[in-house]
Amino acid sequence: MKHPIRFTYLGFHFNSLVDSGEFLNLQETHNQIRKKALFPWLKEKLNDRVDISLFTPHEINEIEEFF
């Protein structure tokens, strides 16, 4: 599967969160992905530690569709 390049930033960002000790319940994360509510949930849960400011709402929607 070929992943769009613009997802690379998110991968690095999520990896850095994990490296700094953040933990998310895998089942709850999957539920949020299924509901296409991942990014609002992450912002609520992690506050300013999640930066998606590089993406427009349209791009966020495309990313959630891809997941």
Side-chain angles (χ1 to χ4, degrees):
M1 175 188 295
K2 186 175 181 179
H3 300 284
I5 297 293
R6 66 180 175 217
F7 294 180
T8 303
Y9 168 78
L10 284 174
F12 287 135
H13 188 60
F14 291 154
N15 281 336
S16 73
L17 289 169
V18 170
D19 289 345
S20 69
E22 290 297 337
F23 173 80
L24 296 173
N25 177 283
L26 189 57
Q27 185 62 44
E28 180 62 21
T29 303
H30 283 178
N31 289 340
Q32 297 301 326
I33 290 170
R34 281 186 210 99
K35 294 188 316 188
K36 296 182 184 162
L38 178 65
F39 291 101
W41 177 71
L42 287 173
K43 284 300 277 181
E44 179 184 316
K45 196 154 189 66
L46 301 174
N47 299 315
D48 62 345
R49 292 170 289 181
V50 172
D51 179 15
I52 56 172
S53 63
L54 294 176
F55 302 98
T56 67
H58 176 74
E59 289 171 322
I60 292 296
N61 187 51
E62 285 182 338
I63 292 166
E64 288 191 332
E65 286 288 330
F66 186 81
F67 285 138

